[in-house]
Amino acid sequence: MTVQPIRLFGDPVLRTPADPVVDFDAELRKLVADLTDTMREQSGAGLAAPQLGVGLRVFTFDIDDVLGHLVNPVLEFPDEEEQDGPEGCLSIPGLYFDTKRRQNVIAKGFSAFGDPVQIVGSGLMARCVQHETDHLDGVLFVDRLDPEGRKEAMKAIRQAEWYDQAAPPVVKLSPHLSNPFGLGR
Ligand SMILES: [Zn+2]
């Protein structure tokens, strides 16, 4: 078990959708241990494999002393209820922004041994599960903000002392590519 360096905003691995886990082997269990150790060392509520540079669909969580992990998660929402509150990310250290999430979630997946697991969560647990599953799709919580909030967040990120100006963030839709497929005209 080892604490690993966490990839920061701007690292392309955070924008790359992760692959489903196929082999539930010792290597996967080492990954879960590394995620758990790193998350706890940083006092994080959750950590997803891409944040350690590993493109697999795995995350760990530590919410209200409930420590766990989930492999190949699939989310279901039992109702329409929403929550709004501050959210942060170990890949965007020191910055928190109010983020809308669903209040209740059912997450289905597997343990590192391949056993089926279901997490029924609300509030903070539901927020964490949604945040970490987003990581597996290359989505960061600032993407979930409204346009004004996202602008404010991007400004704060660019001003953060950890932010590497030499590695510009991957922009999902470049304003310079208004006709990205070269069609029409
Ligand atoms: Zn995060």
Side-chain angles (χ1 to χ4, degrees), residues 3-179:
V3 171
Q4 304 278 352
I6 293 178
R7 305 298 183 94
L8 298 176
F9 186 98
D11 190 318
V13 75
L14 296 175
R15 291 308 197 176
T16 307
D19 295 324
V21 169
V22 178
D23 298 318
F24 291 79
D25 54 9
E27 203 176 324
L28 175 64
R29 292 187 280 280
K30 184 187 180 301
L31 172 61
V32 169
D34 287 350
L35 284 166
T36 303
D37 281 3
T38 307
M39 172 183 68
R40 299 192 92 180
E41 199 250 352
Q42 297 287 329
S43 304
L47 193 64
Q51 293 179 276
L52 297 187
V54 178
L56 288 173
R57 300 186 76 81
V58 185
F59 68 77
T60 55
F61 56 87
D62 185 4
I63 301 283
D64 298 332
D65 294 325
V66 179
L67 185 67
H69 68 273
L70 197 59
V71 179
N72 296 346
V74 176
L75 304 193
E76 291 171 15
F77 301 105
D79 54 43
E80 301 288 315
E81 200 181 335
E82 288 192 332
Q83 57 173 319
D84 196 4
E87 192 163 316
C89 180
L90 292 175
S91 294
I92 308 177
L95 298 176
Y96 300 84
F97 300 97
D98 283 352
T99 308
K100 275 203 185 100
R101 294 284 186 185
R102 301 294 278 270
Q103 171 68 12
N104 300 298
V105 67
I106 300 166
K108 293 177 181 175
F110 298 90
S111 76
F113 292 92
D115 299 317
V117 175
Q118 178 169 298
I119 299 168
V120 180
S122 62
L124 199 56
M125 177 65 93
R127 178 179 292 280
C128 174
V129 164
Q130 290 166 82
H131 177 113
E132 302 310 332
T133 303
D134 270 354
H135 270 302
L136 308 182
D137 296 325
V139 173
L140 299 172
F141 83 98
V142 292
D143 303 337
R144 298 284 184 186
L145 304 175
D146 59 30
E148 200 179 321
R150 201 177 313 128
K151 207 172 149 191
E152 187 192 327
M154 282 310 304
K155 191 176 169 201
I157 288 168
R158 280 192 295 265
Q159 290 172 347
E161 52 93 23
W162 52 261
Y163 181 64
D164 181 4
Q165 297 291 346
V170 176
V171 178
K172 282 204 151 173
L173 181 63
S174 167
H176 306 297
L177 291 173
S178 55
N179 188 20

